[in-house]
Amino acid sequence: MSSQSPHIRSKWRLLFLFVGLSFLYAPILILMAYSFNSSRLVTVWKSFSFDWYVALVHDEEFLHAIYLTLSIGFCAATMSVIIGTLAAFVLARFGRFRGQGIFSFSITAPMVMPEVITGLSLLLMFIATANGSHALAGWLTEKFGITEGSFLYPVLQQMDGFPDRGVFTIWIAMVTFTSAYVTVIVRARLKEADLSIEEAALDLGATPFKVFVFITLPSLTPAIVSGWLLAFTLTLDDIVISQFVAGPKSTTLPMLVFSSVRRGVNPKINALATIIVTIVSLCVTLAWYLMRRKEKRIQREMAQIKAK
Amino acid sequence: MARIYNRSPKLKGLFKSRLSKIRFRGSSLVLAVPYLWMILFFIIPFLIIFKISFSEMVDGQMPPYTPISSYEDGKLDIKLNFNNYKFVFAGDDLGLDDFDLETEENAQTADGAQASEKEEPGFFASLAKKLESNLYLLGYWQSLKVAFISTLCCLVIGYPLAWAIVHASPTMRSILLMLVILPSWTSFLIRVYAWMGLLSDTGFINQVLLFFHIIDEPLVMLHTQFAVYVGIVYAYLPFMIMPLYNAISRVDYSYIEASMDLGARPMTTFFRVLLPLTKNGVIAGSMLVFIPAIGEFVIPELLGGPDAVLIGQLLWQDFFNNRDWPLASTIAVIMLCLVIVPIMWFFKVQRASEVK
């Protein structure tokens, strides 16, 4: 970045911005406006009302799906941050190692892989594992003559047909899918990081583990937080992969919305969309404001140092 | 796993160079956790679909396909069944022999196409005929076409927008960037759904057009291919803009100034200077749109019509409705072959931009 891109004031620039941003925002805003329509026909305006919000709040199925989706999202994002950070650390700091090609491919490929492929392959693997564990449990029962009274019986019961398709398999699929994004974010941050502080700590006798926990990790915190948030929203958003690996009792929110939307437009979905968009916008704006403030503070401090 | 790594001298050699500085006891564990996870849940599943694509469907049994290998009398017998692949390429009505003959003919015509112009329509006609008669080939073709055109549209909309953001004042730039990313943080499904309401016969666009008497009767837009294009472009536009923004903001502006000072017209400057300098951003953004668009399922399912079924929908139908797992796996394997080239290209570009 030797020469900063200048601020250009031209009609064209404003036109591009106007067209682009209205294309991005008009559909969402119109969707939100129609959520306050009292008519059952979403697109025909009747009068202003909150009916659909009330209906949404009283819909047990939706509430359960929201709860399920949020908890899967929370757990998946947490695990994906662990996997992603470790992977980023390996890629950025371990130099070359054997199998690096496969490693970096498999850690980043889920990002661009068509979702139907990821979903199908994971489901078929879960089913193969379930069949294998079923066979193994049967074999073990026969071999050791385990009866219902044995303390091993419940263990084998658990093993039989593991993993059950449901929340657990969705969690695995989501971690696999989202850790790629975390890796990219954290790795970019690791590349920018100043190695000299870590080296100084090592020279002063800190163990590598201590260096990682007290120096590397804190400097990575912003990247890890944004990685977590991205993994969380991606999980909340996923339909295709979840639909493949889900079981009968684990309908997540996107799956529920998808099956309802397939039957046509539904004002309840407009209400739900409005709530989601509002929450996300508030969070993103807040995050943006905080980051901006921090940036400005750093700039000010830098200027002060230079002035001295 | 950690122990295996530590004890094996070969594997110990894995960690050289910079790790010599940060070698610690758990270092092999640091590698092992993500490595094992990805092998278990990303590489092995692929091998499994690859395997299942060679077996045959059996109805009413769990799992509904035949094993490809059997172990009898101490002999391992592996039977690869190519029927699914033949089915996808040759289709329902064409017999296998027919298909072989036809491909040979096609190959000859393709070779001879340059030599004799007359044969060309014959080749394309037979290709078109084959595409029409074969659901799966048509699906692949439609998916490639839709993905390609959508990528182009994203590029045409995204490039000026990214350029406009780069050249805003610093505060505005940060606000605009946030505005571009914001939609991608809201639900993908909701963004697609928004277009259902806009494009339908009684939808917002038709109502506005009718109100101003621009049209006399509603345009049929929902459940057409047009709607699929709109949906894909809309959903993936932010993924195009981000790499483009990064690429454009890295361009050394003195090149642009030099080009303009030397009398190049803006268009020439754009095509000869700016575009080549941002090539990597263009490729990365295009791949981020093109690759997922090939397997897209949700958008064509909600916005598309019955006339053009994409390959992602065919895979879904074969798996969930027909319960033909081997055929679905075959479709996935062929799709993977289609996307592997763009994926590799994407990686190359990613690596190149990292070196910088």
Side-chain angles (χ1 to χ4, degrees):
Chain A
M1 280 232 240
S2 40
S3 141
Q4 269 282 327
S5 317
H7 176 199
I8 295 178
R9 291 173 204 276
S10 92
K11 284 178 294 190
W12 286 103
R13 203 179 65 80
L14 293 177
L15 181 77
F16 292 152
L17 284 175
F18 178 75
V19 171
L21 290 177
S22 21
F23 177 64
L24 280 175
Y25 281 93
I28 298 178
L29 294 177
I30 292 168
L31 170 86
M32 287 165 79
Y34 276 111
S35 75
F36 300 106
N37 183 6
S38 64
S39 165
R40 177 161 268 288
L41 292 164
V42 176
T43 50
V44 183
W45 184 265
K46 211 165 134 198
S47 64
F48 185 89
S49 85
F50 282 109
D51 293 356
W52 301 112
Y53 292 87
V54 177
L56 187 72
V57 174
H58 290 291
D59 193 327
E60 287 283 324
E61 208 185 358
F62 266 99
L63 293 182
H64 181 253
I66 290 172
Y67 165 74
L68 190 74
T69 312
L70 286 177
S71 40
I72 294 177
F74 184 85
C75 298
T78 308
M79 187 66 190
S80 131
V81 156
I82 295 172
I83 303 259
T85 309
L86 290 178
F89 195 71
V90 167
L91 286 172
R93 296 286 169 83
F94 273 32
R96 296 202 73 81
F97 58 88
R98 197 174 303 175
Q100 193 194 27
I102 298 176
F103 183 75
S104 63
F105 176 79
S106 62
I107 204 86
T108 31
M111 222 165 87
V112 283
M113 194 61 75
E115 286 187 317
V116 281
I117 300 183
T118 316
L120 178 70
S121 64
L122 273 167
L123 171 62
L124 291 176
M125 198 222 40
F126 289 138
I127 289 172
T129 317
N131 289 333
S133 67
H134 173 70
L136 185 66
W139 182 78
L140 283 175
T141 317
E142 215 169 273
K143 176 104 180 176
F144 298 105
I146 293 165
T147 51
E148 265 181 59
S150 164
F151 72 97
L152 278 173
Y153 186 76
V155 179
L156 280 176
Q157 281 276 300
Q158 280 294 312
M159 208 171 103
D160 194 344
F162 178 84
D164 267 339
R165 268 180 286 150
V167 177
F168 180 63
T169 48
I170 299 179
W171 176 76
I172 290 182
M174 285 299 103
V175 173
T176 310
F177 167 62
T178 54
S179 46
Y181 294 84
V182 180
T183 310
V184 169
I185 294 175
V186 176
R187 195 181 172 193
R189 180 83 192 181
L190 269 172
K191 280 236 165 78
E192 288 170 7
D194 189 359
L195 277 175
S196 56
I197 305 172
E198 282 167 60
E199 273 165 17
L202 281 173
D203 289 345
L204 292 172
T207 61
F209 182 72
K210 246 188 178 169
V211 174
F212 181 75
V213 171
F214 290 105
I215 293 172
T216 317
L217 219 47
S219 75
L220 287 180
T221 310
I224 289 176
V225 169
S226 40
W228 191 93
L229 285 173
L230 187 58
F232 185 68
T233 46
L234 283 170
T235 309
L236 296 197
D237 206 19
D238 180 80
I239 320 156
V240 176
I241 299 177
S242 312
Q243 187 96 51
F244 268 105
V245 298
K249 276 185 193 163
S250 53
T251 309
T252 61
L253 187 63
M255 284 157 69
L256 195 66
V257 171
F258 183 61
S259 66
S260 130
V261 161
R262 249 177 162 176
R263 279 176 256 130
V265 279
N266 177 348
K268 244 197 259 179
I269 304 292
N270 285 49
L272 180 73
T274 309
I275 296 174
I276 294 179
V277 171
T278 312
I279 294 175
V280 170
S281 314
L282 285 178
C283 292
V284 172
T285 316
L286 185 72
W288 173 82
Y289 173 74
L290 290 176
M291 260 162 63
R292 178 93 197 134
R293 208 174 58 174
K294 200 176 161 195
E295 230 169 69
K296 275 201 171 149
R297 205 183 58 211
I298 291 172
Q299 274 173 5
R300 239 196 343 263
E301 279 167 9
M302 292 290 267
Q304 278 175 356
I305 292 168
K306 267 184 194 162
K308 276 176 192 171
Chain B
M1 194 65 197
R3 267 188 212 147
I4 302 170
Y5 269 82
N6 283 339
R7 281 185 191 162
S8 150
K10 261 190 195 168
L11 290 169
K12 219 173 179 180
L14 293 175
F15 312 114
K16 270 184 265 165
S17 62
R18 281 150 105 190
L19 192 74
S20 54
K21 273 185 226 156
I22 41 171
R23 189 199 299 265
F24 52 97
R25 264 203 181 167
S27 62
S28 42
L29 198 71
V30 168
L31 176 64
V33 171
Y35 211 164
L36 274 181
W37 184 284
M38 282 303 158
I39 285 179
L40 255 178
F41 300 120
F42 194 71
I43 303 291
I44 289 181
F46 276 118
L47 300 179
I48 290 175
I49 42 171
F50 194 61
K51 190 201 95 175
I52 292 177
S53 74
F54 288 111
S55 58
E56 239 169 300
M57 175 174 122
V58 188
D59 223 356
Q61 167 190 320
M62 194 64 195
Y65 55 87
T66 56
I68 59 161
S69 59
S70 56
Y71 189 76
E72 267 172 42
D73 312 326
K75 220 169 67 181
L76 185 67
D77 188 24
I78 296 178
K79 239 197 247 161
L80 294 185
N81 176 340
F82 287 94
N83 282 347
N84 295 309
Y85 290 90
K86 283 174 194 158
F87 183 68
V88 168
F89 282 113
D92 264 333
D93 39 16
L94 294 167
L96 168 65
D97 296 344
D98 244 8
F99 170 65
D100 278 350
L101 263 176
E102 225 178 285
T103 42
E104 264 172 39
E105 267 171 31
N106 283 347
Q108 279 173 2
T109 343
D111 286 338
Q114 284 177 326
S116 56
E117 290 276 308
K118 275 181 191 172
E119 275 179 54
E120 214 170 339
F123 167 66
F124 282 115
S126 78
L127 194 72
K129 203 177 144 195
K130 206 160 134 200
L131 273 176
E132 267 168 37
S133 66
N134 186 330
L135 190 65
Y136 296 99
L137 286 186
L138 188 65
Y140 282 117
W141 167 244
Q142 294 279 10
S143 294
L144 283 172
K145 193 180 87 183
V146 167
F148 182 75
I149 296 177
S150 311
T151 309
L152 226 55
C153 293
C154 277
L155 203 57
V156 170
I157 302 173
Y159 205 101
L161 192 54
W163 179 83
I165 296 174
V166 171
H167 294 299
S169 66
T171 316
M172 262 322 263
R173 194 183 303 167
S174 145
I175 292 173
L176 289 170
L177 257 189
M178 187 201 72
L179 282 176
V180 166
I181 306 170
L182 183 64
S184 64
W185 284 76
T186 66
S187 167
F188 169 81
L189 193 52
I190 285 171
R191 281 180 293 146
V192 178
Y193 172 71
W195 283 98
M196 284 178 79
L198 282 176
L199 294 173
S200 75
D201 291 354
T202 57
F204 187 79
I205 295 176
N206 270 320
Q207 278 183 18
V208 169
L209 292 177
L210 284 170
F211 182 79
F212 289 110
H213 296 291
I214 298 170
I215 50 170
D216 297 324
E217 49 188 272
L219 297 170
V220 179
M221 289 183 286
L222 190 60
H223 302 308
T224 62
Q225 202 149 32
F226 168 72
V228 178
Y229 286 120
V230 171
I232 293 183
V233 171
Y234 183 67
Y236 289 106
L237 189 59
F239 299 111
M240 175 65 93
I241 294 177
M242 288 321 291
L244 284 178
Y245 169 82
N246 283 332
I248 298 174
S249 64
R250 273 185 205 163
V251 168
D252 187 340
Y253 207 74
S254 48
Y255 289 123
I256 313 288
E257 276 167 357
S259 160
M260 300 292 268
D261 288 349
L262 292 170
R265 279 176 306 158
M267 270 310 191
T268 318
T269 309
F270 173 72
F271 281 110
R272 302 289 293 275
V273 183
L274 188 58
L275 201 58
L277 281 173
T278 52
K279 198 183 84 192
N280 280 352
V282 171
I283 295 173
S286 302
M287 292 305 114
L288 282 177
V289 177
F290 183 78
I291 302 166
I294 284 191
E296 189 50 60
F297 167 75
V298 175
I299 296 171
E301 193 70 13
L302 293 180
L303 300 175
D307 54 327
V309 180
L310 302 191
I311 198 66
Q313 291 169 284
L314 288 173
L315 188 153
W316 187 279
Q317 279 166 14
D318 271 317
F319 188 81
F320 285 107
N321 305 351
N322 307 342
R323 294 183 57 80
D324 192 341
W325 296 10
L327 187 58
S329 308
T330 310
I331 296 173
V333 170
I334 298 174
M335 198 198 289
L336 195 63
C337 296
L338 279 181
V339 295
I340 201 80
V341 175
I343 288 180
M344 287 305 175
W345 203 17
F346 175 71
F347 276 113
K348 218 184 102 190
V349 170
Q350 282 287 90
R351 207 163 285 171
S353 64
E354 271 165 17
V355 170
K356 274 181 198 167

